[in-house]
Amino acid sequence: YTLKSCLETGLEKNYSIRIVRNEEQVSKNNATLGNAGYLPTLDLSTSFSGNINDTETQARETGEKSKTTGVFDKTLNAGLNLNWTIFDGFKIQANYDRLKELKKQGETQTRIAIEDFIAELAAEYYNYIQQQIRLKNFRYAMSLSKERLRIVEERYIVGNFSRLDLQQARVDYNADRTQHMKQQEAVQASLIRLNELMANADMTQPIMLNDSIIDLNAIFSFEELWQSTLKNNANLLKSEQNKELASLEMKTVKARNFPYLKVNAGYGY
């Protein structure tokens, strides 16, 4: 894996990125004239009822009886109702502008999530490299301590070293061995985190990195970075969008001070 291939895999499969992209699509779908209130609404209601009656009638004068059965009465009701707000103190315009601003903010939020993800994965990628380098160093140090312990044991047997020298060599070897074991855990933890960011099914899947060193770019200009930050930083753009949303919310509240003009029409059958 190169850093580029790790980023491509993560951007394609990471669940957090998928969620934020779906939320962006929701904000795009909501930015319509209908949701803002520009369009009229048309309601249709219908009902149907029926009764079957059997009646028996007896004349008072003659006592003659008459009977009818299976009389079916039915009733159908249907109605159309049209509602259209022509003017509501510029509230509709403010709502539409708010929906469009939320659409922009959804795009900005996706950009923030992607930038944060790239930064996090790149940091973990190079952290994994660093931890592997440290593991090699600890492994080499442990091998030196082990060899030193072997030499001290041999010389202790022939009487050149004291028991104190032997015990000190064992303490040093055990300390280096402990550091090596802790470093193995650090490498494994970094590996799991890298697999998690790339959304691999197996969190312990071995990853062979193509890069083995961290290159530093020393030609960055602080002034250029600062100006680029003020112009392109997504969090600053989101803050400006929040400010615009607050302004539109104020327009919505002020719309209460104006009269409303609404059209209602209906037809019933």
Side-chain angles (χ1 to χ4, degrees), residues 86-103:
I86 304 299
F87 179 75
D88 63 350
F90 306 104
K91 182 179 179 181
I92 295 177
Q93 292 89 334
N95 281 337
Y96 188 50
D97 291 339
R98 182 178 64 85
L99 291 174
K100 290 191 293 184
E101 198 65 31
L102 287 174
K103 175 184 175 182

Side-chain angles (χ1 to χ4, degrees), residues 6 20 40 51 57 69 75 79 84 89 93 101 110 121 131 135 138 146 149 179 204 215-216 228 230 243 251-252:
C6 286
V20 76
N51 297 299
T57 305
T69 60
T75 303
W84 195 0
Q93 292 89 334
E101 198 65 31
T110 300
L121 193 147
Q131 297 304 330
L135 180 62
F138 281 122
K146 185 177 181 180
L149 176 60
Q179 290 290 341
T204 60
D215 295 325
L216 299 178
S228 178
L230 295 178
K243 182 179 178 181
K251 289 183 180 180
T252 302

Side-chain angles (χ1 to χ4, degrees), residues 149-262:
L149 176 60
R150 186 191 65 81
I151 295 173
V152 172
E153 285 178 342
E154 294 293 335
R155 301 189 68 175
Y156 172 74
I157 292 174
V158 299
N160 286 344
F161 277 172
S162 64
R163 178 176 290 275
L164 179 61
D165 295 326
L166 178 60
Q167 294 297 333
Q168 184 62 51
R170 286 176 177 172
V171 168
D172 293 340
Y173 170 69
N174 289 333
D176 290 338
R177 184 181 178 186
T178 301
Q179 290 290 341
H180 179 260
M181 294 174 64
K182 289 182 178 179
Q183 189 57 33
Q184 285 180 317
E185 294 178 0
V187 170
Q188 187 67 15
S190 181
L191 174 66
I192 292 173
R193 181 58 180 158
L194 204 55
N195 277 300
E196 180 183 3
L197 289 172
M198 291 192 293
N200 289 327
D202 184 6
M203 292 292 100
T204 60
Q205 173 184 324
I207 296 179
M208 299 299 294
L209 299 185
N210 184 64
D211 301 325
S212 60
I213 59 174
I214 302 175
D215 295 325
L216 299 178
N217 191 337
I219 63 173
F220 284 126
S221 169
F222 174 80
E223 186 62 30
E224 291 180 1
L225 291 174
W226 177 247
Q227 294 301 324
S228 178
T229 298
L230 295 178
K231 181 179 179 181
N232 300 315
N233 185 272
N235 287 292
L236 294 180
L237 293 176
K238 184 179 178 181
S239 298
E240 288 294 330
Q241 291 165 353
N242 286 334
K243 182 179 178 181
E244 181 64 23
L245 287 172
S247 176
L248 293 172
E249 186 67 26
M250 178 65 71
K251 289 183 180 180
T252 302
V253 175
K254 288 182 177 180
R256 303 172 185 174
N257 299 328
F258 295 88
Y260 290 178
L261 178 60
K262 297 184 178 183

